[in-house]
Amino acid sequence: MSQQSLRRATAERREPREIPPLAEVRRITEKKRDAWWTVLLVDPVATPLVRQTALRTRITPNQITWGAFLLGLGSAACFAFGDWPWLCLGAVIYHLSFVLDCMDGKVARLTGQGSVFGAWLDFVFDRIRVMVCGVALMAGQYERTGDVTYVWLALAVVGLDTLRYINSLEIFKVRYTMRKQIKARVRAARRAENQAELAFMEDLLRENPEADVERDQAVGAGAPGEPEALAGRAAVPVGAGLSAEADAPAPVRPAKQVIDLHQEFRHRFPAYLRARSFLLRHRIRTHLVSGVEFQMGVFILGPLFDAVIPATIVSGALLLVFELAIIYKLLLSTRDFTRTIDSFEQPVSAAA
């Protein structure tokens, strides 16, 4: 590197970043839907820290990821001692580790420093942290009590955390495959019949939580959803048949076909929709016990109340219940997918 380039890089490091006010930082960095533990107990602390970190330092997201990982190892060391004061210290350090773990992604979004490698590093370090802390916690309790139950709980913690992320990955792959097949059918239909542009309902709702709440209320009351408002143009809801026509006047831009792969689930559980609407208003996702809450139950609540066994069992059971609910929701989604694919076949059969 030349001297001129070195001086320019040094000047850039010294020059303060232009960081927006806290309200704008919240809009940029906080997810529109997140775990309730994160929304209530982490974001109020992490987001102001993210703004100050980006404003006053040049710390990178990967460096924050390393810091969270090292704090996690410190938490594991405290758990290994087994006594209650050490358990409390380990629980506090684990929560601080999780706060840092949330900050790395926020700093990346705020400063534009995100990277594919950083996402991989964050994921791998999370899995290692859970494994090391789970083994250390249960080993310390086994050393203190001699109860072999803790050996089985160590295996359960590692196994459930692995199951959670394997299941999440496989569900993502199945949904991606369904979307890919639907998009291929729509492209073929559009070439043949000049049909409308394609959009998926869950993508539109993910970007517009307010419309998501309104749709839940409409479906829960027995009224149809309004994909037109979500698409920002005349839309043709797809899934019950591609021949449906929008009632709105012909727009200047082409209509957008909105495919909803969660129709059956929404109509089958109207009570769920009312609770979901309440949670969405507060940015809380309806998957109330995911990997985050499972970890907090095992590594924070259990040690703080010196109730490692019951906290681990309850957290693990709730995690399994919500994972099964996701699998059931996926099953209903595949039925919507089948009906959507069949709706493409009907015009072909009629023409034959």
Side-chain angles (χ1 to χ4, degrees):
M1 180 182 294
S2 65
Q3 291 294 329
Q4 184 178 0
S5 300
L6 182 60
R7 285 194 297 269
R8 187 184 302 113
T10 303
E12 290 175 354
R13 285 197 297 270
R14 291 176 179 173
E15 183 181 351
R17 290 186 178 127
E18 293 184 3
I19 303 299
L22 182 59
E24 181 67 9
V25 172
R26 292 187 188 279
R27 187 191 67 80
I28 296 172
T29 63
E30 293 180 355
K31 297 177 181 177
K32 294 182 179 179
R33 304 175 188 180
D34 212 337
W36 63 266
W37 186 281
T38 303
V39 172
L40 300 178
L41 300 176
V42 176
D43 280 352
V45 176
T47 304
L49 286 177
V50 164
R51 184 177 184 275
Q52 293 301 317
T53 299
L55 188 64
R56 302 178 184 279
T57 73
R58 293 290 170 176
I59 295 176
T60 66
N62 286 354
Q63 290 172 338
I64 297 176
T65 301
W66 273 100
F69 177 66
L70 294 177
L71 272 180
L73 296 183
S75 175
C78 294
F79 289 150
F81 285 103
D83 295 331
W84 184 67
W86 285 105
L87 292 181
C88 292
L89 180 60
V92 172
I93 295 176
Y94 193 91
H95 184 69
L96 294 177
S97 171
F98 186 71
V99 170
L100 279 184
D101 188 39
C102 292
M103 286 178 60
D104 57 5
K106 295 179 187 298
V107 170
R109 288 189 288 274
L110 182 61
T111 62
Q113 294 179 298
S115 66
V116 175
F117 178 76
W120 175 86
L121 190 71
D122 185 43
F123 176 83
V124 171
F125 278 1
D126 282 351
R127 305 286 67 73
I128 295 176
R129 179 180 58 184
V130 171
M131 179 183 68
V132 173
C133 286
V135 172
L137 176 62
M138 302 309 168
Q141 296 308 296
Y142 175 74
E143 180 69 21
R144 188 180 74 167
T145 65
D147 189 347
V148 73
T149 304
Y150 290 104
V151 177
W152 294 107
L153 287 180
L155 296 175
V157 168
V158 176
L160 287 172
D161 182 73
T162 304
L163 173 64
R164 160 78 181 104
Y165 283 93
I166 289 178
N167 186 43
S168 177
L169 177 61
E170 290 303 313
I171 287 178
F172 173 81
K173 289 168 61 177
V174 171
R175 288 176 174 169
Y176 174 80
T177 301
M178 291 192 296
R179 285 167 169 246
K180 187 177 180 180
Q181 292 186 31
I182 291 173
K183 287 179 179 179
R185 297 298 183 96
V186 168
R187 282 195 296 267
R190 190 162 59 240
R191 285 195 298 268
E193 303 178 15
N194 193 27
Q195 290 202 13
E197 185 183 349
L198 173 67
F200 286 94
M201 181 65 71
E202 64 178 308
D203 290 340
L204 299 174
L205 296 178
R206 185 179 296 112
E207 297 302 321
N208 193 344
E210 292 80 9
D212 201 351
V213 172
E214 293 173 3
R215 176 174 172 80
D216 281 354
Q217 291 173 339
V219 175
E226 295 295 339
E228 292 86 350
L230 300 171
R233 64 190 75 179
V236 181
V238 178
L242 292 176
S243 59
E245 296 291 339
D247 294 331
V252 175
R253 290 176 291 183
K256 178 175 287 189
Q257 294 174 344
V258 180
I259 296 179
D260 187 0
L261 294 180
H262 299 292
Q263 292 184 72
E264 185 169 346
F265 185 84
R266 292 174 184 273
H267 288 284
R268 188 171 288 198
F269 299 101
Y272 159 84
L273 296 180
R274 289 191 290 271
R276 181 176 182 272
S277 298
F278 171 80
L279 294 174
L280 286 180
R281 291 192 189 96
H282 299 84
R283 294 198 305 114
I284 298 174
R285 64 190 181 196
T286 50
H287 191 184
L288 293 178
V289 181
S290 62
V292 172
E293 291 80 12
F294 172 69
Q295 293 178 43
M296 301 310 134
V298 174
F299 300 126
I300 295 182
L301 298 182
L304 283 178
F305 293 99
D306 199 15
V308 173
I309 290 180
T312 303
I313 292 175
V314 171
S315 299
L318 291 175
L319 177 67
L320 284 176
V321 167
F322 278 86
E323 290 302 304
L324 291 174
I326 289 179
I327 294 172
Y328 178 66
K329 187 176 182 180
L330 177 66
L331 172 63
L332 297 183
S333 181
T334 59
R335 295 177 181 175
D336 288 322
F337 165 75
T338 301
R339 284 192 289 269
T340 302
I341 293 295
D342 289 343
S343 68
F344 284 96
E345 301 295 340
Q346 291 169 3
V348 176
S349 301

